[in-house]
Amino acid sequence: GAVVSQHPSRVICKSGTSVKIECRSLDFQATTMFWYRQFPKKSLMLMATSNEGSKATYEQGVEKDKFLINHASLTLSTLTVTSAHPEDSSFYICSARPGQGIGYTFGSGTRLTVV
Amino acid sequence: AQKITQTQPGMFVQEKEAVTLDCTYDTSDPSYGLFWYKQPSSGEMIFLIYQGSYDQQNATEGRYSLNFQKARKSANLVISASQLGDSAMYFCAMREGPYSGGSNYKLTFGKGTLLTVNP
């Protein structure tokens, strides 16, 4: 089946540094990638939608300059958390929809801890 | 208004019994899809079952079935013969728009229900 590979699975960084999270579609072309954020025992909140070769669409309240999204190819989308602060600590997960099927494929998620 | 409402923050069920997890939705789009996902403590999102708005029959996938009541805008998940491994968060989600419409229709998630299966 369709797989989205997400790395890293876990990262600890110092406050003020930047962290890049990668999502790769392994056996399909992902023209669109969805980026979600999830706090412990909470729902998945859509942060932004990235489309290959164009600017990402951010949800209301999400800082574009803090959460930089790049979707340079049909198989790779990246989320960079810039100048990370402890309040950015969260679980980030990406998702794409392979082809015309009904399903959405999710990455395995990245647990970010900012210290 | 919330698009997906899951009113049960937590549910308990005895092993081998059936359990129903509630989900109601709100949309004015005639074409939509409803999904249930399981999220164990590892964080991965596991697809369980799908119901399209035009599907005449309730969806079933093994021990999972979806009780779709369109007029009530309800899409409850029924898990039969619960197993200890079913303990996890369960999310109801909705895609607004036809499934054939392309890859850029986002999913909107409910707040989730934490299911605990007791031995």
Side-chain angles (χ1 to χ4, degrees):
Chain A
V3 175
V4 171
S5 176
Q6 183 171 349
H7 294 281
S9 58
R10 196 177 291 266
V11 59
I12 301 173
C13 71
K14 290 186 176 180
S15 190
T17 62
S18 296
V19 172
K20 181 184 283 188
I21 301 169
E22 290 189 352
C23 280
R24 293 182 183 274
S25 56
L26 296 187
D27 45 8
F28 68 99
Q29 293 183 329
T31 54
T32 301
M33 191 74 73
F34 303 99
W35 286 93
Y36 293 89
R37 180 176 183 175
Q38 184 182 28
F39 290 107
K41 293 188 167 40
K42 298 294 184 183
S43 184
L44 280 74
M45 301 300 297
L46 182 66
M47 298 174 63
T49 303
S50 71
N51 294 291
E52 185 266 337
S54 63
K55 288 185 178 180
T57 302
Y58 289 82
E59 296 297 303
Q60 193 173 9
V62 177
E63 297 177 62
K64 300 179 185 181
D65 295 333
K66 166 163 276 296
F67 300 101
L68 299 179
I69 290 174
N70 185 279
H71 196 148
S73 77
L74 287 171
T75 58
L76 176 63
S77 178
T78 61
L79 166 67
T80 302
V81 183
T82 63
S83 186
H85 288 102
E87 57 265 31
D88 298 325
S89 297
S90 191
F91 187 67
Y92 295 86
I93 191 165
C94 58
S95 175
R97 190 175 167 206
Q100 295 293 309
I102 60 169
Y104 292 73
T105 298
F106 286 81
S108 52
T110 297
R111 221 167 279 279
L112 170 64
T113 303
V114 184
V115 297
Chain B
Q2 287 187 34
K3 287 186 177 287
I4 296 287
T5 302
Q6 294 181 254
T7 58
Q8 306 154 314
M11 287 284 285
F12 293 88
V13 66
Q14 286 296 121
E15 195 177 6
K16 299 180 185 176
E17 293 186 351
V19 62
T20 297
L21 305 184
D22 294 342
C23 173
T24 57
Y25 59 92
D26 182 29
T27 181
S28 57
D29 198 318
S31 296
Y32 54 89
L34 297 158
F35 299 76
W36 277 94
Y37 285 89
K38 171 184 177 182
Q39 188 182 43
S41 57
S42 60
E44 61 184 312
M45 295 293 286
I46 301 170
F47 167 72
L48 297 178
I49 198 166
Y50 169 82
Q51 182 85 41
S53 59
Y54 294 116
D55 292 343
Q56 296 294 314
Q57 306 229 354
N58 286 344
T60 60
E61 290 285 349
R63 294 187 298 112
Y64 305 106
S65 60
L66 201 152
N67 184 0
F68 183 46
Q69 297 189 41
K70 195 171 183 177
R72 296 179 61 186
K73 295 190 174 179
S74 162
N76 298 340
L77 176 70
V78 180
I79 305 175
S80 62
S82 297
Q83 302 171 356
L84 295 178
D86 294 335
S87 295
M89 280 289 283
Y90 288 80
F91 290 100
C92 180
M94 177 172 64
R95 179 211 70 240
E96 292 176 281
Y99 85 88
S100 59
S103 62
N104 58 348
Y105 287 112
K106 65 183 182 183
L107 286 182
T108 301
F109 287 84
K111 293 186 176 182
T113 296
L114 180 61
L115 177 66
T116 303
V117 180
N118 294 317

